[in-house]
């Protein structure tokens, strides 16, 4: 049966009923209506002994409140929908206990987010006979009733409140001033008040054709445009019937139409529809019923967006400001605060638009989400938990601008007033160092590392903060001084123009290769090994230097390790390669009273190997010497063993054995008297003597 056939049948039934109002005729009409639009009693809630009345369902359809007289008083109850049925019916004690035995609590309605209940009651201390109150959810409990105040309540009756999904419009009823002739019922008119920055506006009565003089129990739907209410008016088929009107594009209410799918010959009141818009709950006689809503009567398509706003670290619920805007026009659709006790929020958005959801809380980060609902064709629910945080994680990546090595540094954070709020040390092992910064402030971050130029940057964590992790790369420039390095002939003192310098930084991983006789910029605070060589018939030479933290050049005595300041620069003298030339090898160390080489000796011996490979005809003597500590024979034997250890290392790296001879001279050839520890250190040495060499013409 199509819609128009249904209307025709109902009109015929109404006309027939108007001729004779016998009980049997009413029953007949009721049976026909039920056959067209079956209505189902909500058996889990309704009972034979008591009256269950005024259902109101949350936007997600999972919680219902209603009133009942099961304890002899009109009290409010709450029930939950789980696994296809309503369960766990419990009284809302915090509200019910505010009444005495003569008080009435009636007309409850949820806010669409389920965090408030609006109702009217005759509590003492009100502004009129019955006032409008609200109670807020705190976890699983509800606060004591709070009067809406004189902006809403008058000296007469104010009741049956219902609030729009955006929280901006409150609809309710007051005593009617224009009761239609012939109606003996107690009648009301529907009013509306707008929420402003300064409070609720002066309530205004809704115009004709909504108010005809005997209306009751309005309910604004989730689209904020559809209003359903009960009315006694011409054309009804019983007592109070339910009617539906909508706001058109001009902001005017269209003519109300009767809801034939729900109206019966009894009083039909208190419609409640979840955001899905497919099922209506209502009151008839003494029970609560449900009926499926025909497609032509369904409200505009909606989406329910719900979840919990919580602290990102503790996961505790937070109260925050929520603002919904049109993504294309930036028009503010609604703004409100969610439930403060557990952070739950629920928003109903109309299809056909794109939205931005913005969440803010003082001293917390913000959240911004985009929802495109322009092509939504059916009801949907989105779960969106929102985590806000009080601190941002600033990852400062500190490294050497030239070598890209991580640096040990001090990170100092100051606020806009210059006060230091945190000091964090980087370990120099990892590039990334995390600094936690409280949201809601702007900061200056200064990075300092010894012997590097400091660097600072700013970070502003005020306003709309959406991201928790921030990255900042800090490339620090090393402090340097110029160090002249000259390479000269050991015998003539003249400059060796064809020399090569290899400068190895012993403090960090750095190697510099340049030609000799020039000034090179070296890092303050670092120690270097400077090696000079020439392929024009010279042996190698090396020395160790350090640039002090004060930027002074310091040379290091090879035998004693003594450090001396030298402002002139570095001079390396190269021994010309010739038969019988002697070259003292540096940094050749053995275990005490042993011929076992320390690994630190290999660097100098590798230079010997390189030299011998460059001059294949060169034959050498490796001579080891000791100081005068110990028996002379023992020192000779030990020095011979040490010379053999040096030769063993050289031959193991590709040099033929017949090119080397070992000699152990013990204490017999001191270079200085053994009269001090410093001199003894100089006498403990390994020397290279050239036994034979044939140089090419150009060497």
């Amino acid at each position: 049966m199509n819609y128009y056939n249904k209307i025709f049948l109902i009109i015929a039934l109404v006309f027939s009923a108007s001729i004779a109002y016998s009980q049997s005729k009413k029953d007949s009409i009721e049976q026909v209506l039920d056959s067209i639009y079956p209505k189902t009693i909500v058996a889990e809630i309704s009972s034979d002994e008591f009256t269950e009345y005024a259902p109101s369902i949350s936007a997600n359809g999972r919680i219902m409140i209603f009133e009942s007289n099961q304890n002899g008083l009109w009290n409010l109850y709450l029930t939950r929908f789980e696994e296809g049925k309503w369960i766990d019916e419990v009284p809302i004690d915090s509200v019910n206990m505010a009444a005495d035995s003569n008080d009435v609590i009636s007309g409850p309605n949820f806010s669409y987010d389920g965090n408030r209940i609006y109702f009217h009651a005759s509590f003492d201390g009100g502004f009129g006979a019955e006032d409008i109150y609200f109670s807020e959810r705190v976890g699983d409990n509800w606060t004591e009733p709070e009067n809406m105040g004189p902006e809403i309540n008058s000296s007469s009756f104010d009741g049956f409140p219902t609030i729009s999904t955006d929280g901006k419009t409150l609809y309710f009823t007051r005593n009617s001033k224009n009761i239609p002739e012939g109606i003996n019922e107690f009648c009301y008119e529907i009013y509306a008040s707008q929420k402003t920055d300064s409070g609720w506006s002066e309530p205004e009565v809704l115009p004709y054709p909504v108010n005809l003089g005997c209306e009751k129990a309005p309910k604004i739907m989730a689209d904020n445009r559809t209003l359903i209410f009960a009315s006694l008016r011409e054309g009804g088929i019983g007592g109070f019937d339910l009617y539906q009107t909508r706001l058109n594009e001009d902001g005017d209410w269209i003519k109300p139409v009767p809801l034939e799918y729900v109206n019966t010959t009894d009083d039909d009141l208190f419609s409640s529809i979840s955001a899905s818009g497919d099922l209506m709950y209502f009151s008839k006689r003494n029970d609560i019923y449900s009926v499926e809503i025909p497609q032509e009567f369904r409200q505009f398509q909606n989406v329910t967006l719900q979840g919990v706003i919580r602290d990102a670290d503790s996961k505790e619920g937070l109260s925050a400001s929520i603002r919904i805007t049109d993504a294309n026009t930036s028009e503010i659709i609604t703004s409100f605060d969610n439930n403060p006790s557990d952070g739950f929020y629920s928003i109903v958005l109309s299809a056909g638009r794109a939205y931005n959801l913005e969440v803010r809380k003082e001293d917390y980060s913000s959240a911004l989400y985009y929802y495109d609902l322009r092509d939504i064709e059916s009801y949907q629910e989105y779960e969106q938990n929102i985590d806000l945080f009080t601190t941002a994680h600033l990852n400062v990546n500190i490294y050497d601008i030239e070598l890209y090595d991580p640096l040990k540094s001090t990170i100092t954070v100051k606020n806009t007033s210059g006060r230091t709020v945190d000091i964090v040390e980087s370990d120099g092992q990892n590039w990334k160092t995390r600094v936690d910064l409280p949201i809601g402030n702007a900061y200056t971050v200064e990075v300092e590392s010894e012997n590097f130029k400091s660097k600072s940057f700013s970070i502003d964590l005020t306003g709309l903060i959406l991201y928790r992790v921030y990255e900042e790369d800090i490339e620090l420039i090393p402090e340097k001084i110029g160090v002249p390095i000259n390479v000269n002939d050991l015998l003539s003192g003249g400059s060796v123009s064809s020399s090569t310098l290899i400068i190895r930084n012993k403090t960090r991983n750095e190697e510099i290769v340049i030609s000799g006789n020039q000034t090179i910029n070296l890092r303050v605070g670092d120690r270097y090994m400077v090696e000079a060589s020439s392929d024009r018939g010279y042996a190698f030479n090396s020395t160790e230097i350090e640039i002090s933290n004060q930027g002074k050049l310091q040379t290091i005595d090879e035998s004693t390790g003594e450090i001396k300041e030298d402002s002139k620069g570095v001079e390396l003298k190269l021994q010309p390669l010739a038969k019988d030339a002697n070259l003292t090898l540096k940094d050749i160390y053995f275990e005490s009273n042993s011929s076992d080489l320390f690994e630190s000796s290999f660097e100098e011996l590798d230079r010997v190997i390189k030299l011998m490979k460059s001059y294949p005809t060169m034959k050498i003597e490796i001579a080891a010497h000791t100081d005068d500590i110990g028996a002379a024979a023992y020192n000779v034997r030990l020095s011979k063993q040490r010379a053999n250890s040096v030769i063993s290392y050289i031959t193991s790296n590709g040099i033929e054995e017949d090119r080397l001879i070992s000699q152990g001279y013990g204490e017999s050839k001191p270079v200085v008297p053994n009269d001090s520890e410093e001199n003894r250190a100089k006498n403990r040495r390994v020397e290279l003597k050239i036994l034979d060499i044939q140089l090419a013409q150009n060497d």
Side-chain angles (χ1 to χ4, degrees):
M1 180 180 296
N2 63 32
Y3 171 72
Y4 294 103
N5 288 336
K6 292 178 181 178
I7 296 298
F8 178 79
L9 176 59
I10 292 171
I11 292 173
L13 291 171
V14 171
F15 177 75
S16 175
S18 67
I19 298 175
Y21 263 92
S22 65
Q23 185 62 45
S24 61
K25 185 62 67 176
K26 285 187 177 183
D27 292 342
S28 176
I29 294 173
E30 186 94 17
Q31 291 172 4
V32 174
L33 289 170
D34 283 343
S35 68
I36 301 172
Y37 305 110
K39 303 165 187 66
T40 304
I41 192 169
V42 184
E44 308 97 272
I45 301 173
S46 301
S47 64
D48 294 334
E49 300 93 336
F50 309 109
T51 296
E52 285 76 33
Y53 197 59
S56 179
I57 192 169
S58 61
N60 59 18
R62 298 170 193 165
I63 302 175
M64 180 190 291
I65 52 172
F66 61 93
E67 59 182 285
S68 176
N69 63 347
Q70 32 185 288
N71 66 348
L73 301 173
W74 287 109
N75 285 168
L76 301 187
Y77 293 80
L78 182 146
T79 181
R80 301 178 183 276
F81 192 77
E82 294 182 10
E83 298 181 355
K85 62 181 180 179
W86 293 100
I87 62 171
D88 296 335
E89 178 183 314
V90 293
I92 305 177
D93 289 336
S94 57
V95 174
N96 298 333
M97 294 177 66
D100 60 30
S101 59
N102 296 318
D103 283 332
V104 173
I105 305 174
S106 185
N109 259 310
F110 266 123
S111 61
Y112 270 87
D113 61 6
N115 289 326
R116 272 192 178 190
I117 301 171
Y118 294 87
F119 55 92
H120 67 263
S122 58
F123 300 149
D124 289 340
F127 297 92
E130 294 182 36
D131 283 356
I132 296 174
Y133 292 80
F134 68 88
S135 176
E136 294 187 328
R137 186 177 63 82
V138 180
D140 292 331
N141 299 311
W142 296 85
T143 62
E144 293 182 1
E146 186 173 341
N147 194 296
M148 290 286 291
E151 295 172 312
I152 296 297
N153 293 311
S154 66
S155 58
S156 60
F157 172 88
D158 299 281
F160 305 111
T162 177
I163 197 161
S164 58
T165 59
D166 59 11
K168 291 181 178 180
T169 306
L170 181 74
Y171 299 89
F172 62 98
T173 61
R174 283 180 176 173
N175 293 333
S176 178
K177 302 174 183 177
N178 187 28
I179 300 176
E181 185 177 351
I183 294 180
N184 297 321
E185 298 282 345
F186 197 82
C187 294
Y188 306 94
E189 290 179 310
I190 302 173
Y191 284 71
S193 176
Q194 307 298 321
K195 191 173 186 180
T196 67
D197 292 339
S198 59
W200 290 98
S201 67
E202 178 69 25
E204 295 183 357
V205 64
L206 266 59
Y208 175 90
V210 176
N211 279 309
L212 296 184
C214 198
E215 280 65 49
K216 192 175 183 180
K219 178 67 176 180
I220 187 67
M221 295 293 101
D223 57 17
N224 291 335
R225 298 170 61 184
T226 304
L227 184 70
I228 298 176
F229 60 95
S231 180
L232 280 173
R233 60 179 63 198
E234 187 177 352
I237 63 172
F240 277 96
D241 287 335
L242 291 175
Y243 291 80
Q244 178 174 295
T245 181
R246 284 178 179 164
L247 280 171
N248 62 22
E249 296 300 326
D250 296 327
D252 298 324
W253 295 101
I254 65 173
K255 182 179 179 180
V257 296
L259 301 182
E260 288 88 356
Y261 66 90
V262 67
N263 290 332
T264 69
T265 55
D266 293 301
D267 286 332
D268 303 299
L269 299 161
F270 298 108
S271 62
S272 183
I273 302 174
S274 68
S276 59
D278 58 352
L279 195 67
M280 175 187 284
Y281 293 87
F282 67 100
S283 295
K284 186 180 85 162
R285 298 187 184 129
N286 297 325
D287 296 313
I288 295 173
Y289 285 77
S290 66
V291 63
E292 185 176 347
I293 302 173
Q295 193 66 44
E296 62 268 23
F297 283 98
R298 293 187 181 180
Q299 57 190 292
F300 300 97
Q301 293 298 338
N302 298 311
V303 168
T304 296
L305 176 64
Q306 62 186 19
V308 175
I309 301 174
R310 59 192 182 182
D311 186 291
D313 297 315
S314 69
K315 302 305 180 185
E316 294 182 356
L318 297 174
S319 175
S321 297
I322 301 173
R323 186 171 74 164
I324 305 291
T325 58
D326 187 295
N328 296 316
T329 66
S330 297
E331 172 195 355
I332 298 178
I333 307 301
T334 185
S335 59
F336 61 95
D337 291 339
N338 67 316
N339 186 275
S341 63
D342 58 11
F344 178 79
Y345 75 96
S346 180
I347 305 168
V348 179
L349 302 176
S350 298
R353 303 171 86 170
Y355 299 90
N356 285 325
L357 166 64
E358 182 182 319
V359 180
R360 292 199 186 207
K361 182 175 178 63
E362 187 176 2
D363 296 329
Y364 273 83
S365 63
S366 307
L368 186 63
Y369 298 90
Y370 172 77
Y371 296 93
D372 189 347
L373 308 183
R374 288 173 292 185
D375 297 326
I376 297 296
E377 296 181 355
S378 61
Y379 173 75
Q380 297 183 27
E381 290 186 6
Y382 294 152
E383 292 285 339
Q384 182 69 69
N385 291 329
I386 300 172
D387 288 342
L388 304 182
F389 45 88
T390 57
T391 58
H393 301 326
L394 172 63
N395 292 326
V396 187
N397 304 315
I398 308 169
Y399 56 92
D400 188 312
I401 193 172
E402 296 175 347
L403 305 180
Y404 302 101
D405 292 331
L407 296 174
K408 187 174 183 179
S409 309
T410 299
I411 304 168
T412 304
V413 181
K414 296 182 179 181
N415 59 20
T416 52
S417 64
R419 183 176 66 86
T420 299
V421 296
D422 200 3
I423 298 176
V424 179
E425 301 288 343
S426 67
D427 59 11
Q429 303 300 314
N430 301 289
W431 282 35
K432 184 178 296 183
T433 301
R434 195 177 96 174
V435 182
D436 291 337
L437 300 177
I439 300 296
N441 294 282
Y443 302 95
T444 297
V445 182
E446 184 174 15
V447 180
E448 297 175 293
S449 183
E450 188 177 29
N451 300 321
F452 283 80
K453 296 178 181 178
S454 63
K455 193 170 184 179
S456 63
F457 63 95
S458 298
I459 180 170
D460 191 347
L461 297 179
T462 61
L464 190 67
I465 304 300
L466 301 177
Y467 305 105
R468 185 162 203 183
V469 178
Y470 296 83
E471 297 277 343
E472 188 72 28
D473 289 341
I474 299 297
E475 302 171 321
L476 293 185
I477 300 172
E479 299 279 3
K480 293 183 177 182
I481 66 165
V483 177
I485 302 179
N486 297 305
V487 182
N488 298 320
D489 187 298
L490 177 65
L491 301 180
S492 69
S495 174
V496 178
S497 59
S498 60
S499 63
T500 298
L501 290 173
I502 300 176
I503 306 171
R504 293 185 178 90
N505 192 327
K506 302 186 74 172
T507 306
R508 63 192 81 243
N509 184 27
E510 179 189 25
E511 182 175 287
I512 305 168
V513 179
I514 59 172
S515 59
N517 302 308
Q518 63 173 297
T519 297
I520 180 71
N521 290 324
L522 299 180
R523 295 165 176 255
V524 172
D526 287 5
R527 178 173 288 203
Y528 294 87
M529 174 62 72
V530 183
E531 175 190 336
S533 63
S534 174
D535 58 0
R536 298 299 178 89
Y538 286 93
F540 58 84
N541 195 5
S542 64
T543 189
E544 194 168 319
I545 64 173
E546 184 172 308
I547 313 300
S548 71
N549 290 336
Q550 292 73 39
K552 302 292 186 180
L553 171 64
Q554 297 175 324
T555 58
I556 302 169
D557 188 289
E558 291 89 349
S559 58
T560 66
E562 183 182 357
I563 298 175
K564 299 178 181 179
E565 285 195 4
D566 189 342
S567 60
K568 297 179 181 180
V570 178
E571 182 181 19
L572 287 168
K573 296 181 179 181
L574 299 187
Q575 169 74 53
L577 296 175
K579 185 179 179 184
D580 295 329
N582 285 299
L583 179 67
T584 299
L585 301 182
K586 302 171 183 178
D587 299 327
I588 306 299
Y589 301 109
F590 300 89
E591 295 279 357
S592 178
N593 292 320
S594 169
S595 61
D596 294 336
L597 283 164
F598 277 132
E599 187 175 342
S600 58
S601 305
F602 297 160
E603 185 175 0
E604 182 80 347
L605 295 181
D606 288 341
R607 296 188 185 105
V608 174
I609 294 166
K610 181 180 178 181
L611 180 67
M612 295 190 73
K613 287 181 178 180
S614 298
Y615 297 94
T617 64
M618 184 172 68
K619 295 182 179 181
I620 63 172
E621 174 188 281
I622 297 297
H625 303 265
T626 68
D627 57 24
D628 64 349
I629 302 299
Y634 173 79
N635 287 336
V636 170
R637 186 170 62 253
L638 178 61
S639 62
K640 177 67 173 179
Q641 291 171 347
R642 287 178 172 178
N644 288 337
S645 291
V646 170
I647 289 178
S648 178
Y649 179 83
I650 294 173
T651 56
S652 68
N653 283 275
I655 303 300
E656 299 86 348
E657 290 186 19
D658 60 2
R659 295 176 62 190
L660 299 104
I661 295 174
S662 67
Q663 289 289 345
Y665 292 99
E667 61 188 73
S668 63
K669 293 186 176 183
V671 292
V672 292
N674 284 299
D675 55 7
S676 67
E677 181 54 37
E678 181 179 348
N679 283 350
R680 288 190 179 93
K682 292 179 180 179
N683 289 327
R684 295 191 296 269
R685 68 196 187 278
V686 175
E687 293 178 335
L688 180 155
K689 179 180 179 181
I690 298 176
L691 301 177
D692 190 18
I693 188 170
Q694 295 178 10
L695 299 177
Q697 190 68 33
N698 58 350
D699 287 340

